[in-house]
Amino acid sequence: KCALDGAAPVACTSPKAYSGLASKAHSLKLTAAATGKKASSLTYGWTVDTVAPVAPVVSRTTPSTSPAASSTASFALSDAATDLGSFQCALDGASYGTCTSPVSLGSLVTGTHVLAVRALDRAGNASPATSSSWAVDLTPPTRPVLAGPGRTSATSPAVGITASSDTASLSCSLDGAAAAACSAPSWTAGSALADGDHTLDVVAADALGNASQPSSVLFTVDTTGPAPATLVSGPASLTSLRDATIAFADDEPTATFTCSVDGGASSPCVSPVALTDLAEAGHTLDVLASDALGNPATSALHVAWTVDAQAPTTPVFLTTPPAYTSSTSASFSWARTDDTSTGFRCSVDGGAYGDCDPAVPGETATGVTLSGLGQGSHTFAVETRDAVPNWSVPVTYTWVVDTTAPTSVAQSAGVPTGSQGSVSSTPTFTFASTDPSVAGFVCSVDGGAWTACASGITPAGGDGAHTLQVATVDQAGNVSTGAPLSYSWTLDTHAPVGALTFPTTLTAPFKVAFAEPVLGVTTSTVRVLLAGTTTVVATTQSCLDGTAAVACSGQVRTVVLTPRALLVPGQKYVVATSPAVHDLAGNPASSPATVFRALRVLQETQAAVGQGWAARTSTAAFGGRYVQAHLAGDALSYAFRGTTVTWYTETGPAMGTVRVYCGSTLKSTVNDYAAAATWHVARTVRCSSVVANNVLRLVATGQKSTVSKGTNVVLDAVKVGTSLTSNPATTQRWATAASALASGGRYAYADLAGETVSLSFRGTSITWRTLLGKGMGKASVYVDGVLKGSYDQFATTTKAASRTWRLTDKAHTIKVVVTGTHRTGATGNRVVVDLLTVG
């Protein structure tokens, strides 16, 4: 029994057919029964679908444009049907066939193409077709037409290019090289081409990139000229003919020629060239061959010849003996006067002419020497011939041989004989003779050869000793036999220039050393000046002759200028020597304009570094002011003239002990402690009775008595004899200490407010080198009286440091002042001065 879609079962037999079923899902239940057995059934389900899917979406992915120069294409397919089974494609109206996305097409030909696509669902219902059309263009443009230069001498020739209207671009390749873009109407090589054959290939492309077959053109670059022209026939190198015919040829059959006659302008010519009525002179013809392209030969044919129809001109004597001579020998030399001369012949004293050709063929000059000549007049003649030969008119010379010497000698005429001494210019010497047989004078300078000279001679010669001897001579050159006149002198033309030695300290002297003795040295002729000014530096002048001291008013070799005061560190100095200083010959002296700059790196101990104790005021002090220090090594010096000095101090509860010296001799150690302050306490020091100039020195020990509250040392006033000086001028020094960190191994330090270090200098900067550390305090720095700032010297570790101030180039003063204060955490007020450097 069969039951369709849940209807009542009806008897059925196999096969069972249904028709006209609706488009939906269906089921058939089949039940089988047999007598005595249990019925069994099975169910079969299926779906009837007669609805076609929607048309698919077709997207062309390549090519992106239409038309396109591509024989391939690809498409992406999609459909919204949920029961999509497959796609079918048909190209250009062909039958549909199954296809999948993406669709790839190849081997497409030029023309319009259409791809139709439809979708099939699982029931086989076909959708409406979706079509995509595009055009394929694989047709290349027309090949370009090329017009080449053929054979050319141009190294960058042009090739004409004619492109069709469907050409969008051109590319060119020379001799198989990589193609590069080019354009119509012509192509030109970018650089010079080598000689030889060249091929240019040109390809045209349309707007879609379709390329034509290449068009090719062959051309040849030829820049090599023909071989030089060769001479076929021409005139002899020396000829008397005024007409000449020159024939020439070239191995290049198509060669053409240009000719230049006697160096003139070139013009076209053909062989042979005929020249007529040529002048008597040298002539040339230059023939230049060129090939059909105009390439010239590497060189021209040069034909040279000379037209000579006349006898050569008379030769000329180059050297002859004097008209009067004492020599029985005579030498002659002569030269031809034109280019045609080829030899010479000579005659002596009217004798027959004999050959006297030059030893070397072609020489332009020659000569002979005659000997054994007797007293009297002689004649020598020379004539020349040319290649023809033609003989010239002879040239003749006459002279006299005289071997008898004069007897008189030269006499001085206004200039004394003997030594003339040292002179700065060579003297002029005059001399004379009253003997009528004397024809002139001969001179010998410094024992050299005797040569002709005349009165008023100023002999040549460099610096040094010289001697002039003068003797008489007759017309034949015979020198007198008597003693010659003699003069001697010493020439010195070199101005003495002093070699300078500059001081290496601020107190050392300047020295000017001359290589020879000089005169005229005074305090106004040799001086030290401030560079760039006329300001004179006060010096003490002394002089040396070698190592011995001499008076400056006489002959000296070395001038010593010792500064009377310290030189200013960094200051520029020059040594000026006046022309009034001169050598023994009168040459003015000078010294090099060398600018010297005084010492610029100053240790704390150097005299220019002024160190000051703390200045204090008190109405109890002489003059209301005194100075004070307290560190071990703080020192003070007072220079005085005498053997006894009294210094005044204060005694009190804060005073310590002080060592008292006269010069380097310790006189006593004084304890200035007292329970109450007392002023004007006198301490008298007696020095050596034989030394008039002495120095009082006070050096703080840094020690005190057990009850004292400090180690202070005070200087109030000094008294020498009956003269009391308050606020005396003293040299004061801070305490010093050794340290590997310090320049020179030591440094100066102080810690009382008002203690100072000052330096006057000249320069463009000043650098203060110091030490920083835990026990350091603060210092105020003044430059030219202007406060530059307060500088804290504290550091957690001891180290060297520098502070620099930039300045203008002039004189300045720096002052470092101890403030006696320190920052919180510092353990002291010390300020260190290690080095001052002038820039």
Side-chain angles (χ1 to χ4, degrees):
K1 293 184 179 179
C2 298
L4 178 63
D5 296 333
V10 295
C12 58
T13 59
S14 179
K16 176 63 176 175
Y18 294 96
S19 62
L21 296 175
S23 181
K24 65 174 186 176
H26 297 279
S27 65
L28 176 64
K29 183 177 182 182
L30 179 63
T31 304
T35 302
K37 295 188 179 195
K38 184 179 178 179
S40 61
S41 62
L42 59 85
T43 301
Y44 173 76
W46 75 101
T47 299
V48 174
D49 181 2
T50 61
V51 178
V54 297
V57 175
V58 180
S59 300
R60 187 178 75 247
T61 55
T62 60
S64 59
T65 59
S66 178
S70 176
S71 62
T72 64
S74 62
F75 298 83
L77 311 179
S78 63
D79 196 280
T82 58
D83 58 347
L84 180 67
S86 63
F87 293 104
Q88 289 184 327
C89 300
L91 177 64
D92 296 335
S95 299
Y96 281 98
T98 301
C99 56
T100 58
S101 180
V103 174
S104 296
L105 303 177
S107 302
L108 299 174
V109 297
T110 298
T112 300
H113 295 275
V114 177
L115 177 68
V117 182
R118 63 187 183 185
L120 299 180
D121 61 17
R122 287 183 293 175
N125 298 300
S127 72
T130 300
S131 296
S132 175
S133 63
W134 74 103
V136 173
D137 183 359
L138 300 177
T139 303
T142 304
R143 292 169 59 180
V145 177
L146 307 181
R151 193 174 191 89
T152 176
S153 61
T155 58
S156 294
V159 174
I161 302 175
T162 302
S164 62
S165 59
D166 56 351
T167 296
S169 63
L170 297 169
S171 61
C172 299
S173 170
L174 178 67
D175 296 336
C182 55
S183 60
S186 68
W187 167 92
T188 302
S191 58
L193 300 181
D195 278 18
D197 293 337
H198 298 276
T199 301
L200 180 70
D201 295 316
V202 182
V203 175
D206 61 17
L208 297 179
N210 293 304
S212 71
Q213 289 296 313
S215 295
S216 298
V217 64
L218 175 66
F219 59 92
T220 301
V221 174
D222 180 3
T223 62
T224 302
T230 57
L231 180 66
V232 176
S233 63
S237 60
L238 180 63
T239 179
S240 60
L241 300 177
R242 293 178 177 269
D243 298 337
T245 300
I246 300 97
F248 46 86
D250 195 272
D251 60 1
E252 173 63 50
T254 61
T256 59
F257 304 93
T258 58
C259 296
S260 169
V261 178
D262 294 339
S266 295
S267 60
C269 58
V270 295
S271 178
V273 171
L275 304 174
T276 60
D277 197 23
L278 296 172
E280 287 196 66
H283 297 281
T284 60
L285 177 69
D286 292 291
V287 182
L288 181 65
S290 299
D291 62 15
L293 296 176
N295 295 309
T298 55
S299 61
L301 168 65
H302 181 74
V303 182
W305 70 102
T306 300
V307 175
D308 181 8
Q310 295 182 359
T313 57
T314 301
V316 295
F317 284 120
L318 299 178
T319 58
T320 60
Y324 289 87
T325 178
S326 62
S327 175
T328 59
S329 298
S331 294
F332 292 85
S333 67
W334 57 89
R336 64 185 183 183
T337 56
D338 63 36
D339 293 337
T340 65
S341 296
T342 59
F344 305 92
R345 61 185 182 182
C346 305
S347 169
V348 179
D349 293 338
Y353 280 93
D355 202 27
C356 50
D357 284 346
V360 179
E363 272 189 358
T364 60
T366 189
V368 297
T369 299
L370 307 178
S371 60
L373 299 171
Q375 291 266 95
S377 178
H378 297 276
T379 302
F380 182 77
V382 180
E383 63 182 8
T384 185
R385 67 178 184 277
D386 62 14
V388 174
N390 298 309
W391 289 99
S392 71
V393 175
V395 58
T396 301
Y397 182 78
T398 300
W399 75 105
V400 174
V401 175
D402 177 5
T403 59
T404 304
T407 58
S408 61
V409 295
Q411 297 133 14
S412 176
V415 176
T417 58
S419 174
Q420 307 301 304
S422 292
V423 294
S424 60
S425 61
T426 302
T428 298
F429 300 97
T430 58
F431 37 84
S433 175
T434 58
D435 185 347
S437 68
V438 172
F441 303 91
V442 288
C443 297
S444 171
V445 178
D446 298 337
W450 292 91
T451 58
C453 60
S455 180
I457 183 175
T458 303
D463 282 15
H466 298 283
T467 300
L468 172 69
Q469 291 181 297
V470 183
T472 59
V473 65
D474 62 13
Q475 278 188 309
N478 298 300
V479 178
S480 62
T481 57
L485 191 64
S486 181
Y487 303 89
S488 295
W489 72 98
T490 299
L491 180 63
D492 180 2
T493 62
H494 288 82
V497 179
L500 301 178
T501 301
F502 294 109
T504 57
T505 69
L506 299 177
T507 57
F510 296 80
K511 294 181 181 179
V512 187
F514 297 96
E516 58 181 311
V518 295
L519 298 169
V521 174
T522 68
T523 55
S524 61
T525 59
V526 182
R527 302 175 296 172
V528 176
L529 305 177
L530 292 183
T533 74
T534 57
T535 303
V536 179
V537 178
T539 60
T540 300
Q541 188 181 78
S542 60
C543 297
L544 303 172
D545 184 9
T547 58
V550 295
C552 292
S553 58
Q555 295 184 19
V556 302
R557 288 181 180 269
T558 302
V559 182
V560 181
L561 303 170
T562 304
R564 294 184 182 178
L566 292 176
L567 298 177
V568 176
Q571 181 62 271
K572 298 175 182 177
Y573 299 92
V574 295
V575 176
T577 300
S578 165
V581 180
H582 57 85
D583 62 13
L584 301 185
N587 298 301
S590 64
S591 52
T594 304
V595 176
F596 161 73
R597 198 168 181 201
L599 188 68
R600 296 189 299 118
V601 180
L602 294 102
Q603 295 288 349
E604 76 285 349
T605 57
Q606 287 170 313
V609 181
Q611 299 174 14
W613 288 8
R616 298 286 187 265
T617 59
S618 173
T619 56
F622 287 111
R625 181 181 178 278
Y626 64 95
V627 293
Q628 173 183 316
H630 77 106
L631 296 175
D634 285 337
L636 176 147
S637 299
Y638 176 72
F640 64 96
R641 184 172 179 80
T643 58
T644 302
V645 63
T646 298
W647 60 286
Y648 292 88
T649 185
E650 174 197 10
T651 59
M655 298 300 171
T657 61
V658 57
R659 295 189 185 93
V660 182
Y661 295 81
C662 183
S664 60
T665 304
L666 175 65
K667 290 297 183 179
S668 62
T669 299
V670 177
N671 185 0
D672 282 340
Y673 169 78
T678 302
W679 286 91
H680 303 169
V681 177
R683 312 286 194 192
T684 298
V685 180
R686 290 179 173 79
C687 301
S688 170
S689 60
V690 297
V691 178
N693 295 318
N694 284 296
V695 176
L696 169 69
R697 292 180 59 237
L698 305 179
V699 181
T701 65
Q703 298 176 354
K704 60 182 180 178
S705 61
T706 56
V707 294
S708 178
K709 298 178 181 179
T711 60
N712 291 339
V713 175
V714 167
L715 175 67
D716 181 11
V718 293
K719 184 177 182 181
V720 178
T722 60
S723 177
L724 177 71
T725 303
S726 60
N727 305 322
T730 60
T731 300
Q732 299 158 21
R733 290 293 180 202
W734 290 3
T736 62
S739 173
L741 295 175
S743 172
R746 296 193 70 83
Y747 61 88
Y749 66 95
D751 61 359
L752 285 181
E755 290 186 295
T756 62
V757 162
S758 61
L759 175 69
S760 294
F761 64 94
R762 176 175 179 167
T764 57
S765 68
I766 185 70
T767 299
W768 164 33
R769 192 176 192 275
T770 183
L771 296 182
L772 309 180
K774 291 182 179 180
M776 304 300 176
K778 298 180 180 179
S780 296
V781 177
Y782 297 82
V783 176
D784 299 336
V786 177
L787 177 64
K788 291 297 182 179
S790 179
Y791 299 93
D792 190 351
Q793 305 296 91
F794 173 81
T796 57
T797 58
T798 302
K799 58 184 177 181
S802 295
R803 304 184 190 279
T804 299
W805 292 268
R806 302 294 177 188
L807 307 167
T808 57
D809 186 10
K810 63 178 184 177
H812 300 279
T813 299
I814 185 174
K815 179 179 284 188
V816 180
V817 181
V818 179
T819 66
T821 62
H822 61 266
R823 67 155 68 183
T824 301
T827 60
N829 300 327
R830 288 188 177 183
V831 173
V832 167
V833 173
D834 177 25
L835 192 71
L836 291 171
T837 302
V838 178

